[in-house]
Amino acid sequence: MVDEHADPTVGELSEGAILRSILDRLGASNALVGPGDDAAVIAAADGRVVATVDTLVHGPDFRLAWTSAYDLGYKAAAVNLADVAAMGATPTALLVALAMPDSTRLSFVTGIADGLRAACRELAPGCRVEGGDLTVSDTLTVAVTALGALAGRTPVLRSGARPGDVVAVAGELGRAARGLRVLFERFTDAAHLPVPVDESVLAPAERDDLAAQLRPAPPVALGPVACDEGATAMMDVSDGLLLDASRMAAASGVCIALETAALGDDPRSALTGGEDHALLATFPHDRPLPAGFRRIGRVRAQGPDPVLVDGARYEGRAGWDPYRDWDARTG
Amino acid sequence: MVDEHADPTVGELSEGAILRSILDRLGASNALVGPGDDAAVIAAADGRVVATVDTLVHGPDFRLAWTSAYDLGYKAAAVNLADVAAMGATPTALLVALAMPDSTRLSFVTGIADGLRAACRELAPGCRVEGGDLTVSDTLTVAVTALGALAGRTPVLRSGARPGDVVAVAGELGRAARGLRVLFERFTDAAHLPVPVDESVLAPAERDDLAAQLRPAPPVALGPVACDEGATAMMDVSDGLLLDASRMAAASGVCIALETAALGDDPRSALTGGEDHALLATFPHDRPLPAGFRRIGRVRAQGPDPVLVDGARYEGRAGWDPYRDWDARTG
């Protein structure tokens, strides 16, 4: 049981007290100017900074019955670290805008901070939360901005794939989508509402799928490696391989031909499941792929279809669109 | 009347279609890599980037009955531009994380984009929205990250005020708080719920107060000027002059002595009203203040009180704390 007197709600605390509790969990700043002033000052040694933002909203993006504070913080960091990596950059700092009901317990807030710190430590050492913002909201929302350094590299865009290139991926495909299915199929009640997860009822593979959904571990360090090894195009796979590959194909003016034999035992999940946060990249065909990347297809000249699967148009849903696919009635 | 067929909800559109409508309103990118890839790449010529985030949440921070989409976008940009300016930096780019109900009309989204663009154009030419994120949420939320360039300057922190320095301010004090009072006193119904604003019933001064609340115009260009003119400490006044001055005093290890004679006709609002987004700065006493700044007090050696008003401790509420002062029942 939580001792409510030892774990106040944020509504019972001053903003300053909440901030101090968060900062205590984050460790020492790596910034030129860290938290505590009007803004942070972050090194950008080569005269450029990579910047991206991604938001997790209670309901569409996570459910409190399924997700711990730690996992929420971990995932909010991880999805943004992956976007920085997909440019060929190394993450340098996060800014976190946390909007939460005033009934939120302080332990939940510090749990988020612990998850943010762990994701940085495990996925992007040297990166840290260097700033942020606290607000009250009826809807728990974590918006993370990630900054990154290219260290002299040319950023790898979606638009550089050329016919003849090898299509490759680093990281998991389809696993996070299977983890989401585990949640909806195994941990909902008769009214389809989420109930707490009991991992003891799951097989080991299901637990791995669940971990990929709740605490994704994208291959952040491989983004700069891919850049150094000549990647011609790269992007984070967040909305499903088919949909994201079609975006890369459109940006590059090519066709991306995928091979299901390279997509493992569950090619349907690999093709259409969202939230992988794998790195999709294209490489010159005459060079070995960097360690951590595996071949999944070939770039062809542009044709009627942006993506082919085993040489044919894929029939069925391609991926996830938050404004089409989210249904608040079953949330 | 809005033609509902010509103004779909975001729930009726794909994410790509919404994004295209937004990007159409933002004008040409100034970034090395602008919107459309996994992350933006922004110039940071002197090897450093200033970064800050601030969030506006429906309920605590704005009410749709009172605030237009344009004003919401304008204010979301302005409050972040002020934080960049308070470091002595010039804003270079915004990232906007927009979380909104799927019943939101597209015209509302493009209105936010118009307001963001106008605030950049008027307050920080050269700055633009260079990235962002769209998500579904029950609670309309706008989280803006602002980046800025110091152009070789040493950032001006809160901690540099020295005894003997002149305390000065640029921008309005108290006006936004009076504007909020106008809203609560003149534009609520018998149940204290917001009703639409009819400016025609207001006196000219009330309209100015309302504009300061809904479309704040902080003196962004004066941040770098203050730095160049030797400001020893600087910060954005967002939670009320007294509270923010006490933060500067604590960070600097000094006492800030304010003089109400310099605070205009309504010193109480100037001292305690929030959301000014004025620049509070301290300057060496033997140099003229830069144009746009006016003297409001003097820095003294640290004593029992961080802030004095006309030489005495101020009795009463010092400012605004979102976790103590926001009451959802009257929101």
Side-chain angles (χ1 to χ4, degrees):
Chain A
M1 292 292 292
V2 173
D3 175 354
E4 300 204 347
H5 297 288
D7 188 14
T9 67
V10 296
E12 294 166 344
L13 295 168
S14 71
E15 189 175 14
I18 303 165
L19 268 177
R20 280 190 295 278
S21 292
I22 294 173
L23 293 175
D24 282 349
R25 313 299 276 244
L26 294 177
S29 170
N30 294 329
L32 302 172
V33 176
D37 221 291
D38 291 87
V41 183
I42 313 294
D46 75 354
R48 300 167 300 168
V49 63
V50 172
T52 185
V53 63
D54 217 351
T55 309
L56 299 184
V57 178
H58 185 247
D61 297 314
F62 65 92
R63 317 288 164 90
L64 287 175
W66 289 337
T67 296
S68 69
Y70 179 93
D71 287 353
L72 176 58
Y74 197 100
K75 184 168 181 171
V79 302
N80 281 286
L81 297 171
D83 280 324
V84 169
M87 302 300 285
T90 303
T92 52
L94 303 182
L95 305 178
V96 180
L98 189 54
M100 52 192 169
D102 62 8
S103 59
T104 307
R105 297 251 168 235
L106 183 62
S107 61
F108 193 88
V109 182
T110 54
I112 292 174
D114 289 343
L116 289 162
R117 185 181 187 180
C120 289
R121 188 178 57 229
E122 294 171 15
L123 304 175
C127 182
R128 216 199 74 125
V129 178
E130 301 290 2
D133 175 46
L134 293 176
T135 45
V136 186
S137 175
D138 288 338
T139 306
L140 180 61
T141 304
V142 189
V144 173
T145 300
L147 304 181
L150 285 158
R153 295 181 188 90
T154 301
V156 187
L157 307 184
R158 301 177 176 192
S159 51
R162 304 162 309 182
D165 285 348
V166 170
V167 179
V169 73
E172 305 279 1
L173 288 177
R175 187 155 262 184
R178 288 200 302 274
L180 190 63
R181 279 203 296 276
V182 167
L183 289 170
F184 273 104
E185 290 170 6
R186 306 287 290 275
F187 301 111
T188 49
D189 62 17
H192 306 290
L193 294 174
V195 300
V197 171
D198 172 9
E199 292 208 8
S200 71
V201 306
L202 297 177
E206 289 175 315
R207 285 185 217 178
D208 289 347
D209 293 343
L210 200 59
Q213 166 60 225
L214 296 176
R215 287 180 305 284
V220 177
L222 292 180
V225 169
C227 183
D228 292 341
E229 297 293 323
T232 52
M234 185 157 55
M235 69 184 294
D236 168 55
V237 182
S238 54
D239 295 333
L241 176 62
L242 269 180
L243 184 57
D244 284 328
S246 74
R247 290 168 174 158
M248 180 182 279
S252 297
V254 299
C255 166
I256 290 183
L258 301 171
E259 297 149 13
T260 53
L263 296 178
D265 297 337
D266 182 4
R268 186 168 168 275
S269 293
L271 286 165
T272 64
E275 300 187 276
D276 292 315
H277 303 293
L279 291 174
L280 173 67
T282 56
F283 293 92
H285 68 91
D286 53 358
R287 292 176 60 161
L289 290 177
F293 280 88
R294 57 193 188 276
R295 178 195 161 110
I296 60 167
R298 192 74 177 254
V299 180
R300 294 191 190 176
Q302 194 166 30
D305 296 298
V307 177
L308 296 174
V309 177
D310 298 334
R313 178 180 298 181
Y314 186 82
E315 305 291 345
R317 282 169 64 92
W320 164 263
D321 185 309
Y323 280 96
R324 287 209 164 136
D325 297 344
W326 159 245
D327 182 346
R329 289 166 299 178
T330 62
Chain B
M1 293 293 291
V2 173
D3 175 355
E4 299 204 348
H5 297 288
D7 188 15
T9 67
V10 296
E12 294 166 347
L13 295 168
S14 70
E15 189 175 15
I18 303 165
L19 269 177
R20 281 190 294 277
S21 293
I22 294 173
L23 293 174
D24 282 348
R25 312 299 275 243
L26 294 177
S29 169
N30 294 329
L32 302 172
V33 177
D37 221 291
D38 291 87
V41 183
I42 313 293
D46 75 353
R48 300 167 299 167
V49 62
V50 172
T52 184
V53 63
D54 216 350
T55 309
L56 299 184
V57 178
H58 184 246
D61 297 314
F62 65 91
R63 316 289 164 89
L64 288 174
W66 289 337
T67 296
S68 69
Y70 179 93
D71 288 353
L72 176 59
Y74 197 99
K75 185 168 180 172
V79 302
N80 281 285
L81 297 171
D83 280 325
V84 169
M87 302 300 284
T90 302
T92 51
L94 304 182
L95 306 177
V96 180
L98 190 53
M100 52 192 169
D102 62 9
S103 60
T104 306
R105 296 251 167 235
L106 183 62
S107 61
F108 194 87
V109 181
T110 55
I112 292 174
D114 290 341
L116 289 162
R117 185 181 187 182
C120 289
R121 189 179 56 230
E122 294 171 15
L123 304 176
C127 182
R128 216 199 74 126
V129 177
E130 300 290 3
D133 176 46
L134 293 176
T135 44
V136 186
S137 175
D138 289 337
T139 305
L140 180 62
T141 305
V142 189
V144 173
T145 300
L147 304 180
L150 285 158
R153 296 181 188 90
T154 301
V156 186
L157 307 184
R158 300 176 177 192
S159 51
R162 305 162 308 182
D165 285 348
V166 170
V167 179
V169 73
E172 305 279 1
L173 288 177
R175 185 155 263 182
R178 288 200 303 271
L180 190 63
R181 279 202 298 276
V182 168
L183 289 171
F184 273 104
E185 291 172 5
R186 307 286 290 275
F187 301 111
T188 49
D189 63 17
H192 305 290
L193 293 174
V195 299
V197 171
D198 173 8
E199 292 208 8
S200 72
V201 305
L202 297 177
E206 289 176 314
R207 286 185 215 179
D208 288 347
D209 292 345
L210 200 60
Q213 167 59 224
L214 296 176
R215 287 180 305 283
V220 177
L222 292 179
V225 169
C227 184
D228 292 340
E229 296 293 322
T232 52
M234 185 155 55
M235 69 185 294
D236 168 55
V237 181
S238 54
D239 295 334
L241 176 63
L242 268 181
L243 185 57
D244 285 327
S246 74
R247 291 168 175 159
M248 180 181 279
S252 297
V254 298
C255 167
I256 290 183
L258 302 172
E259 297 149 14
T260 52
L263 296 178
D265 297 336
D266 182 6
R268 187 170 167 276
S269 293
L271 285 165
T272 64
E275 300 187 276
D276 291 316
H277 303 293
L279 291 174
L280 174 67
T282 56
F283 292 93
H285 69 90
D286 54 358
R287 290 175 62 161
L289 289 178
F293 281 88
R294 58 193 187 276
R295 178 195 160 110
I296 59 166
R298 192 73 179 253
V299 180
R300 295 190 188 177
Q302 195 167 29
D305 296 297
V307 177
L308 296 175
V309 178
D310 298 334
R313 178 179 297 180
Y314 186 83
E315 304 292 346
R317 283 170 64 93
W320 164 261
D321 185 310
Y323 281 94
R324 287 205 165 142
D325 296 344
W326 160 243
D327 182 346
R329 290 165 298 179
T330 62

